[in-house]
Amino acid sequence: MLPQEVIRRKRNKQALSAEEIQFFIKGVTDGSIVDAQAAALTMAIFLNGMNTEETTILTQSMRDSGDVLKWTDVDGPIVDKHSSGGVGDKISLMLAPMLAACGAYVPMISGRGLGHTGGTLDKFDSIPGYQTVPTNQLFKKVVKEVGCAIIGQTGNLAPADKKIYAIRDVCASVESIELITASILSKKLAAGLDCLVMDLKCGNGAFMESIERAQSLARSIVNVANAAGCKTNAVLTDMNQVLGHSAGNAVEVQEAVDFLKGINVDSRLHIITLELCSELLVSAQICNNLKEAKNKLQRVLDTGLALEKFAQMISALGGPSDFCEKANQYLPQAPIIRPVYPQQSGFVHSMDTRGIGLSIIELKGGRTTPDQKLDYSTGYTQFCQIGQQIDTQTPLAFVHAASEEQFAKAADNLQKLITITDKAPQSFPDIIEKIS
């Protein structure tokens, strides 16, 4: 079997057989298929799609390209959440310790930034000493003892996806429903999950800008995951603006710590985080209904138990033992932190959220090549929200930049990407739809 023949068949809009998909993924894993060929196939899939059977086989082949974890020695449900990506989306950082504090186990295997969206691993890389790629043994130990661990793909957990993920990021094939489904679920199924909730972002800051495409991705993930034996549902959430007060790497970690402490909590971030956590607690039969689950989650926030779990996870994976007490001392700080003001008074009507995500890449907070080193200190804080009434002395956001040139470019971007009008805009729900 030849790689170019597999590529040709998909280029010509033909369905691939199980043997062809398994052959290609094996070749990606062992290096006999080169990056250029993998990029060609991902583009062919992006342009021509895959049917459900192909997507399921692709997902299982990527899952089986490495280890599949077993959790026979833990006494609770194994659960996780995944987001399709957004700007300012730091929900994973709070969700994992909140669920662990409620009695679930969360082995979260996350990725780095894709396209204009930030990556959970890039945020954790801003914490000194934190091991985002530990051994499987350490990963399992931390999950068992703490209740949660957020890591990247180790060398032998879905290694085929690790290669394809990096290729997609720089070859304009990120938004494919089939490739997103296989990428997400290969990692999640390799983690040995009992239950999964998918946070499908929808709006101008999401990969799935239209609700129809978000619904299609939700159905694809729910169908493939449940067929593979993992109880899964999806929640469609709004991504027409930056989620929370910050967007970047270190700045989002700081907001997550503040959230767990109950400091300056963004209402939208709180609503969506509790909704996703509650779905998992009900699916895992820890709680009987969503109301009971939300009450339980609020208690672990109010008592500090969720913050304690976060601190334990940071320490167990090599970070500072007093990180939560001194996060602002450990996290990198940009040399320039300065507000950007609007040029007129009025209401924040809308924002080009994707453009804001791209502007973070210009601040070196995201990648243009797979091996690029990031500046974890850059980004935005105190970000304005849609519907907020502001004047020329109210910041649109504070820019965290490495140079005056970076700051000037970011300031110019913000003033172009955020629309101010005389009238308040129509409000939209944070939770758009649920699919199970």
Side-chain angles (χ1 to χ4, degrees):
M1 195 175 294
L2 298 175
Q4 56 264 44
E5 284 300 295
V6 178
I7 296 166
R8 182 187 64 81
R9 281 172 50 76
K10 182 48 63 180
R11 183 201 68 189
N12 292 346
K13 303 183 180 180
Q14 295 174 295
L16 301 180
S17 68
E19 292 75 19
E20 287 172 321
I21 295 170
Q22 290 161 358
F23 160 77
F24 207 94
I25 295 304
K26 182 177 184 298
V28 169
T29 306
D30 64 24
S32 59
I33 289 176
V34 298
D35 287 357
Q37 292 170 319
L41 184 63
T42 62
M43 182 55 71
I45 293 169
F46 175 84
L47 293 173
N48 298 321
M50 280 182 148
N51 61 38
T52 301
E53 183 179 359
E54 287 177 286
T55 307
T56 302
I57 294 166
L58 177 63
T59 300
Q60 292 171 327
S61 299
M62 289 164 62
R63 174 199 66 189
D64 296 338
S65 65
D67 296 335
V68 178
L69 299 180
K70 306 295 183 184
W71 300 95
T72 55
D73 56 347
V74 299
D75 57 357
I78 309 299
V79 307
D80 199 2
K81 157 262 174 191
H82 191 86
S83 169
S84 60
V87 181
D89 181 7
K90 71 280 295 176
I91 288 175
S92 293
L93 281 69
M94 299 89 72
L95 174 141
M98 288 167 65
L99 290 170
C102 291
Y105 290 84
V106 190
M108 186 177 288
I109 300 174
S110 298
R112 306 199 183 280
L114 267 181
H116 68 280
T117 67
T120 298
L121 283 196
D122 296 329
K123 305 182 206 311
F124 278 102
D125 277 335
S126 68
I127 301 173
Y130 189 96
Q131 298 180 56
T132 52
V133 190
T135 63
N136 282 354
Q137 291 73 22
L138 178 58
F139 179 41
K140 295 185 75 171
K141 180 176 185 288
V142 175
V143 171
K144 182 179 179 181
E145 294 179 358
V146 177
C148 61
I150 302 175
I151 69 162
Q153 291 159 267
T154 62
N156 215 35
L157 274 178
D161 175 65
K162 188 175 183 180
K163 289 188 176 182
I164 294 170
Y165 192 100
I167 289 167
R168 288 167 57 216
D169 186 26
V170 294
C171 293
S173 57
V174 168
E175 296 93 336
S176 162
I177 286 176
E178 296 82 9
L179 293 175
I180 293 172
T181 298
S183 178
I184 291 167
L185 292 182
S186 63
K187 295 189 287 285
K188 298 306 180 185
L189 297 179
L193 301 182
D194 298 317
C195 303
L196 172 68
V197 66
M198 183 67 198
D199 178 9
L200 260 298
K201 301 297 186 188
C202 182
N204 66 36
F207 286 123
M208 300 301 160
E209 188 165 340
S210 73
I211 191 168
E212 292 80 14
R213 279 184 59 78
Q215 289 168 329
S216 295
L217 178 57
R219 285 190 290 267
S220 176
I221 289 172
V222 167
N223 289 340
V224 172
N226 280 287
C230 179
K231 187 175 181 181
T232 301
N233 53 17
V235 180
L236 273 62
T237 62
D238 177 69
M239 183 41 71
N240 282 300
Q241 61 179 314
V242 171
L243 182 57
H245 300 302
S246 62
N249 292 304
V251 293
E252 290 190 45
V253 176
Q254 182 66 63
E255 183 175 3
V257 173
D258 290 345
F259 182 103
L260 293 170
K261 290 180 177 180
I263 299 171
N264 193 27
V265 175
D266 177 77
S267 61
R268 291 179 61 246
L269 188 59
H270 183 264
I271 289 168
I272 296 172
T273 302
L274 259 64
E275 194 72 36
L276 294 167
C277 287
S278 298
E279 288 286 339
L280 281 170
L281 291 181
V282 173
S283 292
Q285 299 182 332
I286 291 175
C287 294
N288 295 316
N289 54 61
L290 294 177
K291 182 178 179 182
E292 178 187 333
K294 289 176 183 177
N295 288 337
K296 188 178 185 72
L297 290 160
Q298 194 59 53
R299 282 197 299 273
V300 301
L301 286 171
D302 294 342
T303 60
L305 186 55
L307 177 68
E308 183 179 337
K309 288 290 185 182
F310 187 75
Q312 290 172 355
M313 178 183 73
I314 298 292
S315 179
L317 285 168
S321 59
D322 59 348
F323 177 77
C324 289
E325 290 83 3
K326 302 176 180 178
N328 62 342
Q329 296 179 31
Y330 286 114
L331 292 169
Q333 305 292 321
I336 297 172
I337 303 174
R338 196 179 303 155
V340 175
Y341 297 101
Q343 295 175 329
Q344 67 184 81
S345 299
F347 294 88
V348 180
H349 180 272
S350 60
M351 59 182 72
D352 179 349
T353 316
R354 182 178 185 275
I356 293 165
L358 293 173
S359 74
I360 295 172
I361 297 177
E362 293 184 339
L363 287 166
K364 309 301 181 186
R367 295 177 181 81
T368 54
T369 59
D371 58 351
Q372 182 178 339
K373 291 186 177 181
L374 302 185
D375 184 342
Y376 298 110
S377 70
T378 63
Y380 303 110
T381 55
Q382 299 184 42
F383 216 97
C384 62
Q385 300 291 300
I386 290 178
Q388 180 181 344
Q389 188 171 10
I390 61 176
D391 58 32
T392 55
Q393 298 304 308
T394 308
L396 295 172
F398 278 72
V399 175
H400 295 235
S403 67
E404 290 291 346
E405 182 182 1
Q406 276 192 2
F407 173 83
K409 177 64 174 174
D412 183 59
N413 282 333
L414 286 186
Q415 290 174 338
K416 292 176 180 176
L417 296 169
I418 298 172
T419 301
I420 310 298
T421 59
D422 294 334
K423 294 183 179 180
Q426 178 184 355
S427 61
F428 294 94
D430 301 314
I431 309 295
I432 300 168
E433 185 180 354
K434 296 182 182 181
I435 294 176
S436 60

